Amino acid sequence: MLKSGVKRLLGRAGFDIVRSTNNRGGVDDFIPFEATMRAARAAGLSVGDYIDEVMNGTPGATQSTIDELRTLGVFAADPGTVLEIGPGSGRYLEKTVKECAPSRYEIYETAEPWANYLVDTYSVVARPTEGCSLGPTPDASVDLVQAHKVFNTLTFLSTCRYFFEMARVTRPGGRIVFDVMTEGCLDPAAVRAWVSKGGEGHDSYPAAMPRQACVDLFATLGCNLEASFLAPMGFASTEVLVFGKGLDS
Ligand SMILES: C[S@@+](CC[C@H](N)C(=O)[O-])C[C@H]1O[C@@H](n2cnc3c(N)ncnc32)[C@H](O)[C@@H]1O
């Protein structure tokens, strides 16, 4: 049964929820498909813009992250194969395919209605999603691996397992992009805001991740931090990290 506290919390951070098909201990529910699509249509907005503007109160947030990634050269090499973990409504997916028109786009998404919608709308390939593995994707086969607003909803261990998998599937010379809620997003004012506006009914959201632990771990996997920037997450923020996988990795 969905807990009202969870709904309230995710609503405040920009998400209302629906149960996804495969839960592994994090807040791995997502906004209801039909109701969200209806509401976006009624507002005359794309579903991505509806989530940014109406649900999250952060108009243009998705585009600003994509703009930063473009400025950093993430799309410059025209990644031909992209993999996204937890694309949800596809708000980053939609803008990514405009930037680089990959010939193959794989998704790992636990919320089945949204995964089906993305397959139908963007002809992406939905891989069986078991929680923290990218098993069906071969080693070194992807140019750009990304996940947005996913790892603050998963447990620490699931996120770390995904990290190893992301490094494994990335081609040498490829990029890995994801956001995590690091120390940079957790000054006392932000912690106060989370304590007063979030948390009730669900102890695992949002999950924090030490920045240096990410940087050190990915370095051992042949991936070096190239850039980072803060992005809005509802009333708070999250840090986007961009790694490049070494050519000799
Ligand atoms: C907070 S939403 C973010 C969605 C989208 N990336 C965005 O920013 O709008 C988290 C997404 O991750 C999905 N998800 C949850 N657990 C997952 C898992 N273990 N593997 C892959 N996706 C997962 C949810 O269904 C949801 O689509």
Side-chain angles (χ1 to χ4, degrees):
M1 196 162 73
L2 296 178
K3 294 182 194 133
S4 61
V6 184
K7 281 184 159 178
R8 204 156 50 239
L9 162 63
L10 291 185
R12 283 171 180 157
F15 295 103
D16 194 5
I17 59 175
V18 69
R19 185 156 298 288
S20 64
T21 49
N22 184 350
N23 293 328
R24 288 184 62 96
V27 183
D28 36 11
D29 297 302
F30 194 48
I31 52 178
F33 176 73
E34 292 292 350
T36 307
M37 294 304 273
R38 254 197 322 273
R41 265 197 303 276
L45 295 169
S46 72
V47 65
D49 289 346
Y50 177 77
I51 291 172
D52 274 348
E53 285 180 42
V54 182
M55 297 181 76
N56 288 8
T58 53
T62 302
Q63 189 60 52
S64 81
T65 291
I66 294 289
D67 290 346
E68 286 269 10
L69 296 176
R70 184 193 317 109
T71 303
L72 292 169
V74 166
F75 306 115
D78 270 334
T81 305
V82 177
L83 183 154
E84 184 170 352
I85 299 168
S89 69
R91 62 184 169 144
Y92 291 90
L93 186 161
E94 176 200 11
K95 296 188 191 312
T96 299
V97 297
K98 281 190 188 140
E99 293 291 329
C100 60
S103 55
R104 182 174 177 81
Y105 202 118
E106 293 186 18
I107 61 166
Y108 284 80
E109 170 56 64
T110 47
E112 218 169 84
W114 286 105
N116 294 339
Y117 161 74
L118 296 177
V119 168
D120 293 344
T121 308
Y122 299 101
S123 303
V124 297
V125 177
R127 294 294 211 175
T129 306
E130 288 171 5
C132 46
S133 161
L134 305 176
T137 302
D139 295 359
S141 62
V142 181
D143 299 301
L144 170 62
V145 178
Q146 62 178 348
H148 299 276
K149 311 285 166 45
V150 175
F151 294 145
N152 37 59
T153 72
L154 299 190
T155 61
F156 171 77
L157 206 48
S158 291
T159 295
C160 292
R161 288 187 170 130
Y162 264 139
F163 285 167
F164 281 91
E165 284 290 85
M166 292 165 94
R168 176 184 69 76
V169 302
T170 303
R171 208 190 293 286
R175 294 268 184 32
I176 297 171
V177 174
F178 60 86
D179 67 279
V180 274
M181 199 175 68
T182 60
E183 300 90 318
C185 317
L186 288 170
D187 64 24
V191 174
R192 271 177 195 281
W194 280 115
V195 166
S196 62
K197 300 179 187 172
E200 192 187 339
H202 207 295
D203 292 337
S204 71
Y205 177 86
M209 173 63 72
R211 184 180 198 276
Q212 197 60 45
C214 294
V215 173
D216 291 347
L217 177 67
F218 275 99
T220 68
L221 301 170
C223 305
N224 294 314
L225 184 69
E226 294 182 343
S228 63
F229 57 92
L230 293 187
M233 183 164 71
F235 57 76
S237 66
T238 181
E239 184 168 5
V240 181
L241 305 179
V242 179
F243 291 88
K245 184 162 176 178
L247 286 172
D248 51 358
S249 300

